[in-house]
Each structure stands twice: as structure tokens, then as C-alpha cells.
Amino acid sequence: MPIYEPPIRDLQFVLHEVLKLSQSDLPGHDELEPEFTEAVLEAAGKLSAEVLAPLNIIGDQQGCVLENGVVRTPEGFRQAFEQVKEGGWTALDCDPEYGGQGMPYVLGVATGEMFVSANMAFNMYQGLTHGAYSAIHAHGTDEQKRTYLPKMVSCDWTGTMNLTEPHCGTDLGLLRTRAEPQEDGSYRITGQKIFISAGDHDLAENVIHLVLAKAPGGGEGTKGISLFIVPKFLVNQDGSLGERNAVSVGALEHKMGIHGNATCVMNYDGARGWLLGDLHKGMRAMFTMMNEARLGVGLQGYAAAVPAYQNALAYAKDRLQGRAVTGAANPQGPADPLIVHPDIRRSLMDQKSFIEGARALVLWGAHLIDRSHLTGDADAEGLISLLTPVIKGFLTDRGFDMTVQAQQVLGGHGYVEEWGMSQFVRDARITMIYEGANGIQALDLVGRKLAQDGGKHVLAFFEMIKSFCKEQSANEALARDIIDPLKAASKDLQAAATFFMERGMKNPNDALAGSYDFMHIFGHVSLGFMWARIAVAARAALDAGTGDAAFLKAKLATARYYMARQLPMTGTHLARIRSGAEPVMGLEAEAF
């Protein structure tokens, strides 16, 4: 069975040495002392390693089953879900008014990484509920909040989001699900939705669906879409459950991965629903959930790579194969361990440098969300809005690549099911597709986010890196290996943005043909920025004689690796962008 070791020390390092949470000026963050967060992370890590991780293979092998209209989850999932609920993990960062613990979002994200790494399919049941909770919390009436949120905070009721239909995915303007208004203020929802994660299951007594549909008078396209709360079981005035609503599971999807999560075809046959937010303004309310989900999927991208890397590392240290070219490293044995070979070391360093940089980026993003929500900081909101497609797209692309590299370390053993490596690859693959496929993330970044608020936020990102590099320019220990590569990569990113501004208006295809490369330039620069911040923190701790010297030196070595071996990819992506649309669009469709 694959191993999983919760990365408590590294999470603590990012939270306190890089982000310096307890020194933040945000409300409640002064309580996030290292001793407190360590206790929380240790408890979450114990639950992840001892309860959730052992169920990961079981969920993959058994999957979910639809029996007489009821979805059964894999063996052990119900008991584990109860343990998660009893520990208060579903309520960690939720509003105390509805039973939450009121902790900062960043702490919920830190614990969420471990839950995802241990069992991604299982964690989706509570993760989607949190997104639905956030949408109702932001857009619901007082009555809707009182009715649904306490039960969703505790996960006695879980939540979903219903967007995709058989004939339309990203282009939601084509959806056909209809909402007919009733005299009592409710609506009758009719239509079919597909790919609905956690659409039905036996873990909770009710499922609260958030459903996009078109109500009369909304016009064509996305402007006519509204969002509705459609519970599996209707809720009585006293909060008890009433009759079954006219919503059912038509089928379970047979998927490449995440078998432990029920991905459902949902049929709405005149089901009763209630408007969430403003009529014909459903996309605004849904994007509250979508944006949170996209950050969560970015987290999944690197979190899925964590156990894959851990198992590849253990195998590389244990498996004897060949001799080191510089001389036997294990002269008493028949061969040396795999980890002595440079190409294996390259693969492991690729994985390690990506995971640890991505972890810092996602936690920084969560910290920006806390700043936005707790203080109303528009600049923080604009920055995380800019970074969201980068976090989702780049981290899931690279996270999948890292699971494949981890599998490769095991050679043939990585390809057979008993070692568990293929599950990491199969589970990670979905992250590049759902919550907006990564090509859509790239288009969103270039087509919308760059120009948002007159380009204010991307210019602020450039200035942030420029100021950071200037501050560290006198740091002789880091200037050449860390700061100079970040400067060069940032210039590549700015040059790409300038190319879009100069050419995009004349020929939009020039921008769109380079959008995917731009997302990856932005991702590399973002991780480079994180590694520079990590290196500064590690160097300062070493100079002060605080912390674990071996741990800190490993951070510096890994930072140098990323700057030397990964960050130069910005030059390749820039060259592709500058080639424009002609190489991409030059072949007529009929010639393919």
C-alpha cells in the first residue's frame, strides 16, 4: 500500500517563516501562533494518514454503486465521514453564526491539502459542500442562510453545483434547463445535468444542489441564467426533512479516476427550487463558488503529486539498480540505490521543487482571500482574481506531470496496480479538466484578467516582484542564483504581456494562440517568486541560527534548482508567443 506522510514541518514553515501569519495585521491572525497551528495541523495530519489514506485504494477499487436510485459509497467512507464531521473539520473556517469555528481561510486550505493528498475523491464531498456554503452565505436571503447553512457547515447536508449539460460545458449560454415560476415564489426546475461531483451518496441525510437554469424573461446567452437552490429532500418550516424532491440520479459516470466520488447524471423533473441571488444574475452567484473551487482544484493539482512524490522517493532510496558512475555508493550490496543516478535525482528534484513552490503559492493565494474578505482590500481581491486561472491551470498541468514522473521512477512497478502509483496519475488527470478546462483558464487570464481594472492588477504584480528584487539586490548569498533569475523571468512575462497589448487588438488570434504559453510563463514566475521568498526566509533563519539547519539548507538547494532548471522555461514560452497565430492557424481545417 502506498505511504503518505503529512508535511507538517513544511506547512508550518510557509505559514510562519514565509507568510508570517501571526504577524499579519488581519483580524484574528494574531491568534495563529506556531504552537496553535501546529496542533491543528498535527490533528488533521493524523486523521489524513491513519483514516483517509488507507481508504484511498479501497475507494479506487470499489468505486460508487447506484442501487435502486440510491448511491452507495465505498466501504469505510461513511465511518470516515463521521470522524471528519465529529472533529469539526468541515466547519473550520466557516461563519460562527452558523456553527463554524471562524478560523482564517488559509488554515482551512493548509489542512485541506492533507485531506486531498490522503484521499482526493473522499475530500470532494466536503470540499464541494464548502463551495455551496460560500455561495449561499454570499448571496442567500437571511431565511435561506438559516435554513441551509448550519446543516451544511456540519456536513449533515452536503452541497453540489450543477452547471454542465450533455450538449454544453463551458458555453453555458446554451444550457436548456428551465425554471418555471410558481405562485408561492418557488420555481419548478426541469432538465438534465451531467458530471455532477458528489451528486448523490449515502454520507449525508440531504444534498443541496445549486442549479443553473433559465427562467422566463432572461433573454439569450448567459445573461438569462439564474441560480437555484434545489434540495434532494424538501425542508419543512421547522427545519426537519420533508418529502423527496423530483430530482434523481440517472446514472453514475464511469471515470478514469476519482472512483470514490460519485459523479452523477442528475435529472430534474419539475423539482422545486428557490432563487439564489438576483433573477437572471445566476453567473455572479455561481462564480462565488467557481472561484473558490478553482483555487481548490489548483490545490488538488499539487496535493495529488505529494503522495506520488513521497512514494517515488521511498522507492528510489530502497531500490537497488546499477552503480553510480562516480563509484559504488553501496559497496557492500549488489548495486546502488536508484537515487544515486543523476536522472532519477533530476526527476525527484522536479517533483520536490514544484510541490513546495506550489504549496507556498496556494497558501499565499488563500492569505490574499483572507485579506480581501476580512478587510475589503480591493487590491488583494484583484490580485487573487488575476492569479486564480494561473493557480488552477498551471498547478494542475504541472501537478499531473509530476505524478507521471513519480510513476516513472518506479519503472514497471509504477505501471502495475499493486504499487498504487497509477491511481495518483488517474486521479490527478481530472484536475486539468473540471472547474473550467485549462485552455479556458488561459483564455480567461489573457482575455479578461490582464485588462481587468485597466490592467491595474497585473501591473501591481510586476511592481511587487520588481520591488522585492530591489530589496534583495544587496543579498550577496542569493543575488546571483535566486534574484537574478527571477528578474529575467519577470522580464519575459512583461514582454509577453506587451506583445499581447501591441498585437492583440489588431489580430486577437495572436493573443489567443499564445494564451496557454502565457499562463505557463505566469505560473513559472509565480513559483519563482515563491521560491525567492522561501530562500530569503531560509537564509535569514540560517544566519540567525534558528530552525533546523539541514531543512533550511535543503530549501536553499531546492530554490536554486528551480531557478536553474525550471524558471528558464519562460524563454521558451515567450518565443512561442512571439511566433504569433500564423503557425497555429496556418493549416486549414480541411487539411487536418
Side-chain angles (χ1 to χ4, degrees):
M1 179 180 291
I3 61 170
Y4 173 62
E5 183 66 32
I8 307 296
R9 180 167 61 172
D10 201 57
L11 286 165
Q12 283 283 91
F13 176 78
V14 175
L15 293 176
H16 298 290
E17 300 302 317
V18 179
L19 297 181
K20 301 183 183 299
L21 279 193
S22 61
Q23 300 175 35
S24 169
D25 59 349
L26 299 183
H29 279 54
D30 57 335
E31 300 175 5
L32 300 181
E33 295 291 342
E35 296 79 9
F36 173 75
T37 59
E38 184 175 26
V40 173
L41 295 176
E42 288 281 1
K46 181 179 175 65
L47 177 64
S48 299
E50 297 180 5
V51 177
L52 304 185
L55 293 174
N56 200 35
I57 285 183
I58 293 172
D60 186 54
Q61 293 173 343
Q62 293 184 4
C64 297
V65 179
L66 178 60
E67 296 177 340
N68 299 319
V70 178
V71 176
R72 307 293 183 193
T73 53
E75 179 183 341
F77 271 43
R78 289 185 67 178
Q79 294 85 345
F81 202 67
E82 288 303 313
Q83 285 187 252
V84 171
K85 289 165 55 180
E86 289 168 6
W89 298 108
T90 65
L92 191 68
D93 61 330
C94 295
D95 190 340
E97 184 176 349
Y98 304 104
Q101 298 180 42
M103 291 289 107
Y105 180 63
V106 68
L107 189 58
V109 169
T111 60
E113 179 201 314
M114 293 184 283
F115 295 149
V116 171
S117 293
N119 197 325
M120 178 172 152
F122 175 91
N123 189 69
M124 289 170 65
Y125 292 102
Q126 68 186 60
L128 286 158
T129 304
H130 193 287
Y133 152 87
S134 296
I136 297 173
H137 190 273
H139 301 283
T141 65
D142 289 342
E143 181 181 359
Q144 287 172 338
K145 293 177 187 179
R146 287 193 301 269
T147 299
Y148 298 107
L149 293 189
K151 292 288 189 178
M152 296 178 74
V153 166
S154 66
C155 268
D156 290 333
W157 300 351
T158 60
T160 72
M161 61 176 173
N162 287 235
L163 290 78
T164 307
E165 299 184 4
H167 59 284
C168 73
T170 301
D171 191 354
L172 291 171
L174 299 176
L175 69 79
R176 297 172 183 160
T177 300
R178 298 293 169 182
E180 294 296 332
Q182 306 297 300
E183 291 184 1
D184 64 358
S186 68
Y187 288 76
R188 290 288 181 179
I189 312 298
T190 302
Q192 185 179 78
K193 300 289 184 176
I194 63 171
F195 304 154
I196 308 307
S197 300
D200 197 76
H201 51 80
D202 56 1
L203 303 180
E205 59 188 13
N206 203 5
V207 181
I208 310 303
H209 302 288
L210 299 190
V211 184
L212 286 180
K214 289 189 174 181
E220 298 300 317
T222 58
K223 293 181 179 179
I225 294 175
S226 301
L227 184 62
F228 299 90
I229 299 174
V230 187
K232 175 181 175 179
F233 288 98
L234 299 176
V235 182
N236 297 320
Q237 287 288 335
D238 61 0
S240 63
L241 295 184
E243 64 183 20
R244 176 72 183 257
N245 207 352
V247 53
S248 61
V249 179
L252 292 180
E253 305 287 2
H254 298 282
K255 312 184 296 288
M256 176 179 175
I258 54 168
H259 296 154
N261 194 268
T263 306
C264 302
V265 174
M266 302 300 301
N267 294 323
Y268 294 88
D269 301 305
R272 293 187 69 190
W274 287 264
L275 183 67
L276 176 61
D278 296 329
L279 187 63
H280 309 314
K281 304 289 185 182
M283 294 304 296
R284 177 187 173 197
M286 180 56 79
F287 267 105
T288 297
M289 187 173 186
M290 283 287 287
N291 285 331
E292 178 179 318
R294 286 173 175 173
L295 185 76
V297 174
L299 182 150
Q300 286 182 331
Y302 84 82
V306 171
Y309 163 69
Q310 290 180 355
N311 284 274
L313 176 60
Y315 186 87
K317 288 181 175 181
D318 183 67
R319 174 75 167 180
L320 301 181
Q321 194 80 35
R323 289 293 187 188
V325 294
T326 53
N330 178 34
Q332 305 306 315
D336 292 334
L338 279 173
I339 200 168
V340 305
H341 303 300
D343 192 59
I344 295 294
R345 198 72 68 88
R346 170 202 58 78
S347 175
L348 294 172
M349 286 298 289
D350 278 353
Q351 295 168 57
K352 179 179 173 64
S353 64
F354 166 74
I355 287 167
E356 294 176 13
R359 176 177 291 132
L361 179 60
V362 169
L363 290 174
W364 179 47
H367 190 45
L368 289 172
I369 289 174
D370 274 330
R371 179 168 294 282
S372 170
H373 289 175
L374 294 173
T375 68
D377 187 329
D379 291 337
E381 182 177 356
L383 184 55
I384 190 56
S385 178
L386 172 71
L387 290 171
T388 293
V390 179
I391 289 172
K392 195 283 180 185
F394 180 73
L395 296 193
T396 59
D397 273 356
R398 297 298 291 151
F400 174 73
D401 290 345
M402 294 306 110
T403 63
V404 173
Q405 286 207 42
Q407 183 186 40
Q408 186 76 10
V409 170
L410 274 71
H413 289 139
Y415 196 67
V416 297
E417 292 295 338
E418 66 183 277
W419 287 81
M421 298 301 287
S422 76
Q423 185 186 353
F424 299 134
V425 175
R426 289 184 285 104
D427 285 356
R429 185 64 182 88
I430 186 58
T431 64
M432 301 162 70
I433 299 172
Y434 62 12
E435 307 306 341
N438 286 356
I440 298 299
Q441 302 302 320
L443 295 179
D444 178 49
L445 176 63
V446 170
R448 293 179 63 246
K449 298 301 174 62
L450 284 186
Q452 191 171 8
D453 295 330
K456 171 183 176 181
H457 307 297
V458 71
L459 292 175
F461 182 78
F462 294 153
E463 183 60 35
M464 184 183 303
I465 292 181
K466 181 180 177 181
S467 297
F468 174 86
C469 290
K470 186 175 181 180
E471 290 169 6
Q472 298 300 324
S473 60
N475 191 333
E476 295 181 4
L478 302 178
R480 183 170 63 89
D481 294 341
I482 304 295
I483 304 303
D484 288 350
L486 178 59
K487 280 184 190 175
S490 180
K491 288 179 181 178
D492 285 345
L493 178 62
Q494 293 178 61
T498 300
F499 176 87
F500 290 154
M501 287 187 287
E502 292 175 348
R503 300 277 291 272
M505 293 298 291
K506 298 176 184 176
N507 182 8
N509 279 345
D510 277 341
L512 300 184
S515 61
Y516 213 92
D517 285 286
F518 186 78
M519 181 177 73
H520 275 251
I521 290 185
F522 214 131
H524 276 299
V525 171
S526 297
L527 257 64
F529 184 36
M530 291 301 101
W531 271 115
R533 292 176 64 177
I534 290 168
V536 168
R539 185 73 260 171
L542 273 174
D543 292 344
T546 59
D548 181 339
F551 174 84
L552 297 169
K553 289 177 181 178
K555 285 293 181 191
L556 290 169
T558 309
R560 291 189 179 97
Y561 179 88
Y562 195 87
M563 298 303 191
R565 299 281 301 209
Q566 294 295 325
L567 202 53
M569 283 300 298
T570 59
T572 298
H573 291 298
L574 178 59
R576 291 175 179 170
I577 289 169
R578 282 175 166 163
S579 73
E582 200 282 328
V584 176
M585 304 299 290
L587 188 63
E588 295 296 328
E590 294 76 13
F592 276 86

